[in-house]
Amino acid sequence: MTTRAGEVLSESAIAVGLSAADRSEAIDRVGGILVGEGLVTQGYVTAMQDREAIISTYLGNGIALPHGTGETQDTILRTGLAVAQFPEGVAWGDDKARLVIGLAARSEEHIGIMSRLAGVLEDAELCERLGRTANPREIYEALTSEAEPPAPRPARRNAHSR
């Protein structure tokens, strides 16, 4: 069963204008939001840190997606997302993350969410804007909108040539 992003991300799970000394602190901040929203236990935040120590969760365009492993299912209370925005960026390896999106997912519920996030990731300008906005609603709408913005259409030839 796939879940729509609007069902697993609430506006209260989005914090803007944060700062963090490093990615470990950034993960703790987004993990704290997940805990505060009742989505995970503190053990999940530890699992997020452990996973990050093994492989980076930086996706590109200023977005990182820290999450636990399959072995941590018992620390997930329900599927959900949290977003911590760091306008100045947080060093994430050789890159800087401005949006750190904590993901906690049971089974396959996160597939729809990941699909929407992939669409956002493709738009570098949108990622930049979301990384700097002071309005959490703008982030919420970008991550939960059902429809992709229409792509520009190529010019077509006039069909009624005489």
Side-chain angles (χ1 to χ4, degrees):
M1 173 181 135
T2 59
T3 303
R4 294 182 326 203
E7 296 171 356
V8 295
L9 176 63
S10 64
E11 284 187 69
S12 63
I14 300 171
V16 298
L18 303 178
S19 62
D22 56 29
R23 67 179 163 185
S24 179
E25 185 180 337
I27 291 171
D28 282 345
R29 299 290 298 267
V30 78
I33 298 170
L34 289 169
V35 171
E37 290 286 313
L39 300 171
V40 302
T41 68
Q42 188 61 41
Y44 189 77
V45 181
T46 302
M48 292 167 71
Q49 293 284 5
D50 292 346
R51 180 184 199 103
E52 193 66 38
I54 296 166
I55 187 165
S56 175
T57 57
Y58 184 80
L59 301 177
N61 280 337
I63 297 179
L65 186 74
H67 53 284
T69 62
E71 295 81 45
T72 58
Q73 288 295 307
D74 60 329
T75 62
I76 300 172
L77 305 174
R78 64 186 171 89
T79 295
L81 292 174
V83 180
Q85 181 221 53
F86 302 91
E88 299 303 314
V90 175
W92 218 280
D94 293 335
D95 298 293
K96 276 198 171 204
R98 285 197 171 85
L99 286 183
V100 179
I101 303 171
L103 168 66
R106 293 185 140 312
S107 65
E108 302 299 314
E109 292 176 319
H110 64 293
I111 302 299
I113 298 162
M114 297 305 293
S115 174
R116 176 64 194 141
L117 186 55
V120 170
L121 263 171
E122 290 175 3
D123 187 337
E125 188 176 304
L126 175 61
C127 290
E128 178 70 20
R129 192 171 74 239
L130 297 179
R132 296 190 184 277
T133 184
N135 184 356
R137 180 81 188 167
E138 187 175 356
I139 295 171
Y140 176 81
E141 289 175 357
L143 295 179
T144 61
S145 69
E146 292 297 313
E148 294 290 329
R153 300 183 121 190
R156 294 195 307 177
R157 293 187 145 178
N158 191 338
H160 52 278
S161 303
R162 293 183 200 241

